[in-house]
Every structure is written in structure tokens, then in C-alpha cells.
Amino acid sequence: MDKHSFTYSVIEEFIKIDEQTKKEIKKIKLDKYPLNYNNFYNSKEKERLENLILPQLNMIFKKYKLKLIDCWVQKYMKNHYHDLHTHRGHAKSKSFVWFIEGDKDSSPICFYDVGYPLINTEQIIEIKFIPGKLLIFPNYLPHAVPLNKSNNRLIVSGNVI
């Protein structure tokens, strides 16, 4: 009898955020959306952010042979969240989330098995918010941020290949 299975990995690294980088990230102009604040559609600010974070994350990206495609900042205030979603790209694409600023009440990120919610295997990976934590995962892996209970959850998110 043969048995086959799929495995999806969420890589967890840690990149300490220096105060100057955090200060510069907080200066990025964010637009208000119903779920959170971000600069997803502001290409000028995205380019500025790329130049800011690449020196910090390049060592990790090189370690996994990844190249930055795009990135953005998201800020969550109390009761903000992010619906279940995946990121665009092709099968080799990956996404990342770098936790910049938050506290014990900042929402975790939750990853679900591929196919969720149509296929519910009840396999959920919940990763606690700790500033400096960097997560790299397949872009097609469904993920969400539950209702935030703090006023200072700040992340940088993006796509790599």
C-alpha cells in the first residue's frame, strides 16, 4: 500500500527591529480601510518601505533563496482584523509577515489547511504576535488575523519568489 501526503511549511525566524527602523516604518503613510490601515495601493510608499526593510531582511531572504517582489505596512487598531485570504502569485511564490510592534493583546496570525473553508481539516496553526518574528509561508496558504484587542499591532507583509 502506498501513502501520499502534502506538507506546507511556515518558516519562523527572528529579526530584531532596531528603533530607527521601527520609527521609519511608522512614518509610512497609511490609508484607512474598513479592516485596518495599510499602504497596499501606494506604490511610492511601497518603494520607500522596500528600501527600508531590505537591509534588515536580505540575510534571511538569501538564506532561503528568495527575492522581494513587493511589501506593505498594515496597522491594526482595537477591533481591526483581516479576513481569511491568500496572496497572489504562482506556485513557487511565498509570502511573509514581519511583526514590528505590538503587545500581549495583539492578535496572532492563524494559518489554515489548503482548501479551507470549503475543506475543513480542523488543522489551524496559530502564531503568537512577538515583535521581531518573521514568518515565511506559501502564498496559497489561507490565513487570517482575528479581532485585535490592542491599539498598536503593526506589521510589514509582502511577497517573495
Side-chain angles (χ1 to χ4, degrees), residues 2 12 28 40 46 50 52 54 56 58 63 71 81-82 89-92 95 97 113-114 117 120 137 145 149 157 159:
D2 291 329
E12 193 172 320
I28 300 284
F40 188 80
K46 287 170 85 169
E50 286 178 19
L52 181 62
L54 267 177
Q56 306 288 320
N58 239 357
K63 176 179 176 180
C71 60
Y81 62 96
H82 202 265
H90 58 72
K92 291 185 179 183
S95 297
V97 174
D113 202 355
V114 171
N120 187 356
F137 53 94
V145 175
K149 295 178 181 149
S157 190
N159 297 305

Side-chain angles (χ1 to χ4, degrees), residues 10 35-36 40 72 74 76 81-88 93-99 108-117 123-127 135-146 153 155-159:
V10 176
L35 307 179
N36 55 55
F40 188 80
W72 55 92
Q74 283 183 281
Y76 296 75
Y81 62 96
H82 202 265
D83 289 333
L84 182 72
H85 66 286
T86 59
H87 291 212
R88 68 186 186 289
S93 298
K94 301 215 181 301
S95 297
F96 72 91
V97 174
W98 188 22
F99 297 145
I109 186 169
C110 299
F111 292 95
Y112 300 84
D113 202 355
V114 171
Y116 183 87
Q123 295 180 56
I124 301 170
I125 298 171
E126 183 176 294
I127 299 182
L135 306 172
I136 302 171
F137 53 94
N139 67 329
Y140 54 80
L141 196 60
H143 56 286
V145 175
R153 185 184 195 276
I155 66 160
V156 171
S157 190
N159 297 305

Side-chain angles (χ1 to χ4, degrees), residues 8 16 48 52-54 69 85 89 95 132:
Y8 316 102
K16 184 171 172 50
R48 185 171 145 216
L52 181 62
I53 68 162
L54 267 177
I69 301 299
H85 66 286
S95 297

Side-chain angles (χ1 to χ4, degrees), residues 14-18 21 25 52-53 56-57 96-101 129 131-135 154-158:
F14 186 85
I15 306 290
K16 184 171 172 50
I17 301 131
D18 63 81
T21 301
I25 289 172
L52 181 62
I53 68 162
Q56 306 288 320
L57 302 182
F96 72 91
V97 174
W98 188 22
F99 297 145
I100 303 300
E101 183 176 61
F129 190 101
K133 192 177 287 190
L134 174 70
L135 306 172
L154 186 66
I155 66 160
V156 171
S157 190

